[in-house]
């Protein structure tokens, strides 16, 4: 039931997440409903309801288009709050775009111009959220949808976002160590306060993964897991080029404009320890826009290197 | 041997997906003859098909199979699911040298994770699934200590499953989690659960994250 007490029919279940299930709304294919599991509602129902209400208060015309923001409250037949309805995102998960073997299947004809186009849109949406006092916190390429036929980008799973409304702070209680800056590692995410600088670090990882077809910036040869490398600021590319994974990865890296490479190097080496050194969202926006213009002017290669045809010479870069 | 294999192993060079190694150690001793071995075979095939249906998991999950039936046989060396065209059918015969099968499995897992590190490929905690309907007939205590220690260090997920009259205590010794008993011969249900778990692991954005697994009630017995 919606808040007017009108009964709505749920369509088929689309997704089962950690906290609840996503259903289509029958007769309204553009609307979906998030229904929290009973045990989640028992434990944190009130808290969730308050947060979702605060989010509903924040919505504006821009947000509803670019992020799947909670729009309508949903109740069960006993008038108990069970979740919310939102617009359904169109497109394909960014994790398929940032995937050396799968991008061609899900994004036919993808080239660097289009990758950069999605990334510029992504940065703009995050900037728009930051302007509204909202931080994403839990960066996850499965939660960013890109429409293959256009440069449209939509963010989903927004109810975990960190926000501050009317003096109340709502944390982002979840996160992934691989996408989290050093200063927030090893702390319960529930107690973390994300900042534009911490967001800039996670965002740079998203940008790197897309431009590098799925490589994590802290994947290194002979190395530990990405999180340990992240904590040490052990970034293999850039100056010295030590321990870059075998394959086309160095070639992909070398194709990037120097400005962008420098911003990655700074963010992932000194910036791992010193948040102030990290490239900001507006710097990324400028650099990516310039990159797109340079590609349009024919100054940079547009096609993406294709893994799968290993060349001996590339192995040498890794040594 | 491992280093020679690595040079031919262009998959680790071309495919940057974080890997989830999944080793199956299967009891194919004589007592599995008949319906159990048929269900086991069908279950493994269903597992491979289900993983291949999930594009992300197909690029991430690497499957290895070792059988213990009379002798220890490496049926499938670690292969990324997308590259598996078919898996051999197993036959049931002989005793249950589960101890040496587990030793071999642990060696292979160690070699594989070393290959990941050498290629700069991130990996999730590998899985070692052991399925048996009886008791090991060889020395297995050393292998169990080795497996359990890795599980305690969170370097390995060991999932022991007992079929019918299996000795769950012996199987549990390989892991930090108690062995589960398969409800009847629900191999297919078990392997579909395993594939769903692998899908969750390969979809998680962090290789060090704790992944919430789906409920096991479709195949385990109380």
């Amino acid at each position: 039931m919606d808040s007017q007490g009108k009964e709505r029919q749920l369509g088929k279940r689309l997704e089962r997440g950690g906290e609840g299930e996503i259903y289509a709304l029958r007769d309204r294919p553009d609307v979906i409903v998030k229904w929290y599991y009973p045990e989640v509602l028992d434990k944190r129902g009130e808290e969730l309801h308050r947060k979702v209400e605060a989010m509903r208060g924040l919505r504006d015309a821009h947000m509803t288009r670019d992020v799947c923001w909670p729009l309508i409250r949903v109740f069960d037949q006993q008038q108990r709050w069970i979740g919310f309805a939102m617009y359904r995102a169109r497109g394909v998960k960014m994790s398929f775009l940032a995937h050396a073997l799968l991008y061609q299947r899900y994004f036919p004809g993808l080239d660097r111009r289009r990758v950069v186009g999605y990334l510029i849109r992504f940065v703009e949406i995050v900037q728009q959220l930051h302007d509204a006092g909202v931080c994403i916190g839990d960066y996850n390429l499965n939660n960013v949808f890109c429409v293959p036929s256009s440069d449209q980008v939509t963010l989903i799973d927004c109810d975990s976002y960190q926000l501050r409304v009317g003096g109340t702070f709502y944390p982002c209680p979840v996160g992934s160590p691989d996408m989290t800056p050093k200063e927030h590692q090893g702390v319960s995410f529930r107690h973390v306060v994300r900042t534009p600088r911490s967001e800039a670090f996670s965002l740079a990882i998203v940008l790197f993964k897309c431009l590098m077809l799925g490589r994590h910036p802290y994947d290194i040869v002979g190395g530990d897991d990405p999180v340990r490398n992240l904590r040490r600021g052990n970034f293999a590319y850039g100056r010295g080029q030590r321990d870059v994974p075998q394959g086309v990865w160095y070639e992909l890296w070398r194709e990037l404009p120097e400005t962008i490479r420098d911003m990655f190097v700074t963010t992932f080496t000194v910036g791992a320890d010193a948040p102030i050194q990290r490239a900001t969202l507006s710097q990324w926006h400028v650099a990516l826009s310039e990159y797109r213009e340079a590609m349009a002017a024919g100054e940079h290669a547009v096609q993406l290197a294709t893994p799968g045809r290993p060349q001996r010479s590339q192995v040498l870069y890794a040594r | 041997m491992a280093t020679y294999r690595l040079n031919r192993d262009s998959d680790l060079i071309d495919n940057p997906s974080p890997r989830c190694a999944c080793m199956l150690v299967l009891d194919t001793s004589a007592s599995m003859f008949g319906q159990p071995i048929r269900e086991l075979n069908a279950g493994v095939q269903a597992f491979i098909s289900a993983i291949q249906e999930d594009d992300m998991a197909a690029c991430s999950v690497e499957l290895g199979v070792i059988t213990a039936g009379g002798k220890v046989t490496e049926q499938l060396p670690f292969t990324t699911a997308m590259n598996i065209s078919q898996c051999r059918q197993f036959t049931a015969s002989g005793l249950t040298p589960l101890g040496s099968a587990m030793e071999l499995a642990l060696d292979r897992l160690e070699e594989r994770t070393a290959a990941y590190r050498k290629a700069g490929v991130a990996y999730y905690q590998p899985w070692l699934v052991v399925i048996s309907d009886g008791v090991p007939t060889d020395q297995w205590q050393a292998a169990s200590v080795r497996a359990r220690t890795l599980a305690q260090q969170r370097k390995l997920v060991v999932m022991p499953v007992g079929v019918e009259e299996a000795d769950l205590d012996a199987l549990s010794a390989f892991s930090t989690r108690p062995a589960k008993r398969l409800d009847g011969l629900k191999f297919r249900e078990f392997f579909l659960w395993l594939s769903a778990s692998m899908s969750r692991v390969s979809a998680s954005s962090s290789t060090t994250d704790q992944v919430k697994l789906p409920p096991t009630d479709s195949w385990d017995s109380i």
Side-chain angles (χ1 to χ4, degrees):
Chain A
M1 277 197 268
D2 63 20
S3 48
Q4 273 92 49
K6 189 175 168 206
E7 275 201 36
R8 300 287 203 151
Q9 289 286 320
L10 290 182
K12 70 169 195 187
R13 188 176 70 200
L14 302 169
E15 202 83 54
R16 286 188 66 130
E19 288 188 311
E21 297 177 331
I22 302 285
Y23 288 89
L25 202 59
R26 199 178 291 174
D27 310 324
R28 279 296 297 273
D30 58 328
V31 176
I32 54 173
V33 169
K34 176 157 184 176
W35 184 343
Y36 292 101
Y37 295 127
E39 60 271 25
V40 172
L41 288 170
D42 283 347
K43 215 167 136 193
R44 310 188 282 117
E46 268 179 51
E47 181 191 335
L48 283 169
H49 193 177
R50 272 201 305 277
K51 183 175 182 184
V52 169
E53 281 307 286
M55 294 183 86
R56 289 199 328 128
L58 264 185
R59 71 175 156 166
D60 66 25
H62 290 295
M63 273 184 181
T64 53
R65 210 185 57 222
D66 304 324
V67 293
C68 291
W69 208 251
L71 296 176
I72 297 168
R73 288 177 285 176
V74 177
F75 301 87
D76 66 9
Q77 270 153 344
Q78 285 79 47
Q79 303 294 320
R80 222 173 72 116
W81 182 82
I82 53 167
F84 58 89
M86 61 196 146
Y87 283 117
R88 184 176 186 174
R90 292 198 308 125
V92 177
K93 290 174 183 180
M94 195 183 246
S95 44
F96 287 118
L97 178 135
H99 198 293
L101 303 182
L102 297 175
Y103 78 85
Q104 282 151 323
R105 187 177 313 166
Y106 288 90
F107 292 88
L110 188 77
D111 62 13
R112 288 167 180 274
R113 262 180 314 208
R114 285 178 51 203
V115 173
V116 170
Y118 291 126
L119 294 178
I120 291 171
R121 261 319 280 151
F122 177 65
V123 172
E124 286 168 356
I125 297 169
V126 181
Q127 280 179 314
Q128 179 187 301
L129 288 167
H130 285 183
D131 290 345
V134 177
C135 286
I136 290 181
D138 180 22
Y139 279 77
N140 181 341
L141 273 66
N142 290 323
N143 292 343
V144 183
F145 276 64
C146 305
V147 177
S149 56
S150 75
D151 63 357
Q152 198 184 321
V153 173
T154 313
L155 310 191
I156 65 157
D157 226 1
C158 303
D159 52 336
S160 61
Y161 290 1
Q162 168 187 299
L163 54 152
R164 212 182 278 276
V165 182
T168 310
F169 177 75
Y170 301 91
C172 168
V174 282
S176 294
D178 287 16
M179 306 297 282
T180 299
K182 186 180 171 181
E183 68 270 21
H184 294 163
Q185 295 276 348
V187 187
S188 160
F189 285 116
R190 183 165 286 281
H191 300 124
V192 160
V193 180
R194 329 272 181 158
T195 67
R197 293 283 179 184
S198 68
E199 296 269 289
F201 187 85
S202 307
L203 178 123
I205 296 181
V206 174
L207 303 182
F208 187 92
K209 286 184 98 169
C210 290
L211 291 167
M212 296 289 288
L213 292 180
R215 268 286 168 201
H216 192 282
Y218 292 105
D219 283 346
I220 61 174
V221 162
D224 262 317
D225 65 72
V227 175
R228 282 202 203 133
N229 294 329
L230 183 157
R231 288 180 177 216
R232 293 189 198 119
N234 244 346
F235 177 63
Y237 301 78
R239 293 154 205 139
Q241 301 137 28
R242 293 181 55 237
D243 308 324
V244 172
Q246 299 176 18
V248 294
W249 316 109
Y250 190 72
E251 203 173 89
L252 275 168
W253 168 256
R254 207 177 36 190
E255 286 291 330
L256 295 172
E258 203 179 347
T259 336
I260 289 189
R261 280 186 283 157
D262 280 346
M263 286 162 75
F264 278 132
V265 171
T266 312
T267 301
F268 293 137
T269 56
V270 288
D273 266 311
I276 195 84
Q277 303 270 11
R278 296 167 189 164
T280 63
L281 270 63
S282 51
Q283 286 170 328
W284 280 119
H285 194 266
V286 170
L288 290 166
S289 303
E290 283 173 0
Y291 182 22
R292 181 158 68 174
E293 282 162 29
M295 280 192 282
E299 291 163 30
H300 281 284
V302 169
Q303 75 276 17
L304 284 158
T306 314
R309 269 164 257 136
Q311 293 161 26
R312 287 262 167 257
S313 60
Q314 270 126 33
V315 179
L316 293 176
Y317 290 122
R319 308 268 162 190
Chain B
M1 185 193 161
T3 44
Y4 292 115
R5 184 186 295 165
L6 186 66
N7 292 337
R8 289 191 272 117
D9 202 347
S10 66
D11 192 50
L12 285 186
I13 295 173
D14 308 331
N15 176 3
S17 316
R19 295 306 203 281
C20 185
C22 179
M23 176 63 92
L24 304 179
V25 172
L26 307 173
D27 174 348
T28 55
S29 61
S31 57
M32 288 285 287
F33 187 81
Q35 188 72 355
I37 196 81
R38 281 199 295 275
E39 299 290 339
L40 176 66
N41 275 310
V44 172
Q45 297 301 334
F47 178 51
I48 294 169
S49 311
I51 292 279
Q52 287 176 338
E53 267 169 36
D54 177 338
D55 284 332
M56 206 57 100
C59 295
S60 285
V61 176
E62 293 194 336
L63 181 64
V65 183
I66 291 172
T67 52
K71 57 186 180 4
V72 172
T73 312
E74 186 169 17
Q75 302 278 2
L76 180 71
F78 275 121
T79 309
T80 310
M82 62 188 292
N83 296 329
I84 300 176
S85 46
Q86 56 182 21
C87 188
R88 249 174 274 176
Q89 296 281 319
F90 319 122
T91 49
S93 70
L95 294 174
T96 316
L98 215 50
S100 7
M102 290 295 272
E103 287 285 3
L104 181 64
L106 293 167
D107 290 347
R108 290 290 182 260
L109 280 162
E110 212 169 86
E111 288 164 13
R112 198 63 193 155
T113 48
Y116 297 151
R117 283 196 295 276
K118 187 153 183 229
V121 169
Y123 58 95
Y124 302 96
Q125 251 189 88
W127 281 48
L128 172 51
V129 176
V130 48
I131 304 179
S132 172
D133 71 338
V135 275
T137 52
D138 63 350
Q139 288 297 316
W140 56 273
Q141 281 78 4
S144 75
V145 170
R146 197 175 152 200
R148 200 174 54 245
T149 306
L150 288 167
Q152 276 160 352
Q153 296 167 341
R154 303 196 37 205
K155 289 180 178 164
L156 183 64
V157 176
V158 186
M159 164 82 47
V161 178
V163 182
E164 298 187 323
E165 302 309 308
D167 178 353
L168 290 194
D169 289 340
L171 286 174
S172 299
F174 287 97
S175 182
T176 46
R177 56 178 81 202
K180 288 193 180 269
R181 192 181 299 279
L182 195 69
D183 182 10
L185 294 175
K186 290 192 172 170
F187 284 105
R188 191 186 149 78
E189 286 78 0
F190 168 75
F191 279 110
L192 291 179
W193 172 86
L194 187 61
S195 127
S197 304
M198 292 287 126
S199 288
R200 280 203 195 176
V201 170
S202 58
S204 71
S205 52
S206 188
T207 47
T208 53
D209 236 355
Q210 287 274 57
V211 176
K212 202 176 165 195
L213 298 177
T216 59
D217 51 9
S218 62
W219 56 270
D220 70 346
S221 66
I222 306 155

Coordinates of all heavy atoms in Angstrom, one line a residue, chain A residues 264-299:
Chain A
F264 N 46.1 10.3 -11.1 CA 46.0 8.9 -10.5 C 47.3 8.7 -9.7 O 47.1 8.2 -8.5 CB 45.9 7.9 -11.6 CG 44.6 7.7 -12.2 CD1 44.4 7.6 -13.6 CD2 43.5 7.5 -11.4 CE1 43.1 7.4 -14.1 CE2 42.2 7.3 -11.9 CZ 42.0 7.2 -13.3
V265 N 48.5 9.0 -10.2 CA 49.7 8.7 -9.4 C 49.6 9.4 -8.1 O 49.9 8.8 -7.0 CB 50.9 9.0 -10.2 CG1 52.2 8.9 -9.4 CG2 51.1 8.2 -11.5
T266 N 49.3 10.7 -8.1 CA 49.3 11.5 -6.9 C 48.2 10.9 -5.9 O 48.5 10.7 -4.7 CB 49.0 13.0 -7.2 OG1 49.8 13.3 -8.3 CG2 49.3 13.8 -6.0
T267 N 47.0 10.7 -6.5 CA 46.0 10.2 -5.6 C 46.3 8.9 -5.0 O 46.0 8.6 -3.8 CB 44.6 10.1 -6.4 OG1 44.3 11.4 -7.0 CG2 43.5 9.6 -5.5
F268 N 46.9 8.0 -5.7 CA 47.1 6.6 -5.2 C 48.4 6.4 -4.5 O 48.7 5.3 -4.0 CB 47.0 5.6 -6.4 CG 45.5 5.5 -6.9 CD1 45.3 5.5 -8.3 CD2 44.5 5.5 -6.1 CE1 44.0 5.4 -8.8 CE2 43.2 5.5 -6.6 CZ 42.9 5.4 -7.9
T269 N 49.4 7.4 -4.6 CA 50.6 7.2 -3.8 C 50.6 8.1 -2.6 O 50.1 7.7 -1.6 CB 51.8 7.5 -4.7 OG1 51.7 8.8 -5.3 CG2 52.0 6.5 -5.8
V270 N 51.0 9.4 -2.7 CA 51.0 10.3 -1.6 C 49.5 10.5 -1.1 O 49.3 10.6 0.1 CB 51.6 11.6 -1.9 CG1 53.1 11.5 -2.0 CG2 51.1 12.3 -3.1
G271 N 48.6 10.5 -2.0 CA 47.2 10.7 -1.6 C 46.6 9.6 -0.8 O 45.6 9.8 -0.1
A272 N 47.2 8.4 -0.8 CA 46.7 7.4 0.0 C 46.8 7.8 1.5 O 45.8 7.5 2.3 CB 47.5 6.1 -0.2
D273 N 47.8 8.5 1.8 CA 48.1 8.9 3.2 C 47.5 10.3 3.5 O 47.1 10.6 4.6 CB 49.6 8.9 3.5 CG 50.0 7.6 4.2 OD1 49.3 7.2 5.1 OD2 51.0 7.0 3.7
A274 N 47.6 11.1 2.5 CA 47.3 12.6 2.7 C 46.1 12.9 1.9 O 46.2 13.2 0.7 CB 48.5 13.4 2.3
P275 N 44.9 12.9 2.4 CA 43.7 13.2 1.7 C 43.7 14.5 0.9 O 43.2 14.6 -0.2 CB 42.6 13.2 2.8 CG 43.1 12.4 3.9 CD 44.6 12.5 3.8
I276 N 44.5 15.5 1.5 CA 44.5 16.8 0.8 C 45.2 16.8 -0.6 O 45.0 17.6 -1.4 CB 45.3 17.8 1.8 CG1 45.0 19.3 1.4 CG2 46.7 17.5 1.9 CD1 43.7 19.8 1.9
Q277 N 46.0 15.7 -0.8 CA 46.8 15.6 -2.0 C 45.9 15.0 -3.2 O 46.3 15.0 -4.3 CB 48.0 14.7 -1.9 CG 48.9 15.1 -0.8 CD 50.0 16.1 -1.4 OE1 49.9 16.5 -2.5 NE2 51.1 16.3 -0.6
R278 N 44.8 14.4 -2.8 CA 44.0 13.7 -3.8 C 43.3 14.7 -4.8 O 42.9 15.8 -4.4 CB 42.9 12.9 -3.1 CG 43.4 11.8 -2.2 CD 42.3 11.3 -1.3 NE 43.0 10.4 -0.4 CZ 42.4 9.9 0.7 NH1 41.2 10.3 1.0 NH2 43.1 9.1 1.6
A279 N 43.3 14.3 -6.1 CA 42.6 15.1 -7.1 C 41.2 15.2 -6.6 O 40.5 14.3 -6.2 CB 42.7 14.4 -8.4
T280 N 40.6 16.4 -6.8 CA 39.2 16.7 -6.4 C 38.3 16.3 -7.5 O 38.7 16.2 -8.7 CB 39.0 18.2 -6.0 OG1 39.3 18.9 -7.2 CG2 40.0 18.6 -4.9
L281 N 37.0 16.3 -7.2 CA 36.0 16.0 -8.2 C 36.0 17.0 -9.4 O 35.9 16.7 -10.5 CB 34.6 15.9 -7.6 CG 34.2 14.6 -7.1 CD1 35.1 14.1 -6.0 CD2 32.7 14.5 -6.7
S282 N 36.2 18.3 -9.0 CA 36.2 19.3 -10.1 C 37.4 19.2 -10.9 O 37.4 19.4 -12.1 CB 36.0 20.7 -9.5 OG 36.9 21.0 -8.5
Q283 N 38.6 18.8 -10.3 CA 39.8 18.6 -11.1 C 39.6 17.4 -12.1 O 40.0 17.5 -13.2 CB 41.0 18.3 -10.2 CG 41.5 19.6 -9.5 CD 42.5 19.3 -8.5 OE1 42.5 18.2 -7.8 NE2 43.5 20.2 -8.3
W284 N 38.9 16.4 -11.6 CA 38.6 15.2 -12.5 C 37.7 15.6 -13.6 O 37.9 15.2 -14.7 CB 38.0 14.1 -11.7 CG 38.9 13.2 -10.9 CD1 39.0 13.0 -9.6 CD2 40.0 12.4 -11.5 NE1 40.0 12.2 -9.2 CE2 40.7 11.8 -10.4 CE3 40.5 12.2 -12.8 CZ2 41.8 11.0 -10.5 CZ3 41.6 11.4 -12.9 CH2 42.2 10.8 -11.8
H285 N 36.7 16.5 -13.2 CA 35.8 16.9 -14.3 C 36.5 17.6 -15.4 O 36.3 17.4 -16.6 CB 34.6 17.7 -13.6 CG 33.5 17.9 -14.6 ND1 33.3 19.0 -15.4 CD2 32.4 17.1 -14.8 CE1 32.2 18.9 -16.1 NE2 31.7 17.7 -15.8
V286 N 37.3 18.6 -15.0 CA 38.1 19.3 -16.0 C 39.0 18.4 -16.8 O 39.0 18.5 -18.1 CB 38.9 20.4 -15.3 CG1 39.9 21.1 -16.3 CG2 38.1 21.5 -14.6
A287 N 39.7 17.5 -16.2 CA 40.7 16.7 -16.9 C 40.0 15.7 -17.8 O 40.4 15.5 -19.0 CB 41.5 15.9 -15.9
L288 N 38.8 15.2 -17.4 CA 38.1 14.2 -18.3 C 37.5 15.0 -19.5 O 37.5 14.5 -20.6 CB 37.0 13.5 -17.5 CG 37.6 12.5 -16.5 CD1 36.4 12.0 -15.5 CD2 38.2 11.2 -17.2
S289 N 37.0 16.2 -19.2 CA 36.4 17.0 -20.3 C 37.5 17.3 -21.3 O 37.2 17.3 -22.5 CB 35.7 18.2 -19.7 OG 34.8 17.9 -18.8
E290 N 38.6 17.7 -20.8 CA 39.7 18.0 -21.8 C 40.2 16.8 -22.6 O 40.5 16.9 -23.7 CB 40.9 18.6 -21.0 CG 40.7 20.0 -20.6 CD 41.8 20.6 -19.7 OE1 42.8 19.8 -19.4 OE2 41.7 21.7 -19.3
Y291 N 40.2 15.7 -21.9 CA 40.5 14.4 -22.5 C 39.5 14.1 -23.7 O 39.9 13.8 -24.8 CB 40.5 13.3 -21.5 CG 40.9 11.9 -22.0 CD1 41.7 11.7 -23.2 CD2 40.6 10.8 -21.3 CE1 42.0 10.4 -23.6 CE2 40.9 9.5 -21.7 CZ 41.7 9.3 -22.8 OH 42.0 8.1 -23.2
R292 N 38.2 14.3 -23.4 CA 37.2 14.1 -24.4 C 37.4 15.0 -25.6 O 37.3 14.6 -26.7 CB 35.8 14.2 -23.8 CG 34.7 13.9 -24.8 CD 33.4 13.6 -24.2 NE 32.8 14.7 -23.5 CZ 31.6 14.7 -22.9 NH1 30.9 13.6 -23.0 NH2 31.2 15.7 -22.3
E293 N 37.7 16.3 -25.3 CA 37.9 17.2 -26.4 C 39.2 16.8 -27.2 O 39.2 16.9 -28.4 CB 38.1 18.6 -25.8 CG 36.8 19.3 -25.5 CD 36.9 20.5 -24.6 OE1 38.0 21.1 -24.6 OE2 36.0 20.7 -23.8
A294 N 40.2 16.4 -26.5 CA 41.5 16.0 -27.2 C 41.2 14.8 -28.1 O 41.7 14.7 -29.2 CB 42.6 15.7 -26.2
M295 N 40.4 13.9 -27.6 CA 40.0 12.7 -28.5 C 39.3 13.2 -29.7 O 39.5 12.7 -30.8 CB 39.3 11.7 -27.7 CG 40.2 10.8 -26.8 SD 39.3 9.4 -26.1 CE 38.4 10.1 -24.8
A296 N 38.3 14.1 -29.5 CA 37.5 14.6 -30.6 C 38.4 15.3 -31.6 O 38.2 15.2 -32.8 CB 36.5 15.6 -30.1
A297 N 39.5 15.9 -31.2 CA 40.4 16.6 -32.1 C 41.5 15.7 -32.6 O 42.4 16.1 -33.3 CB 41.1 17.8 -31.3
G298 N 41.3 14.4 -32.3 CA 42.3 13.4 -32.9 C 43.6 13.3 -32.2 O 44.6 12.7 -32.7
E299 N 43.7 13.9 -31.0 CA 45.0 13.9 -30.3 C 45.3 12.7 -29.5 O 46.4 12.5 -29.0 CB 45.1 15.2 -29.4 CG 45.2 16.5 -30.2 CD 44.9 17.7 -29.4 OE1 45.2 17.6 -28.2 OE2 44.4 18.7 -29.9

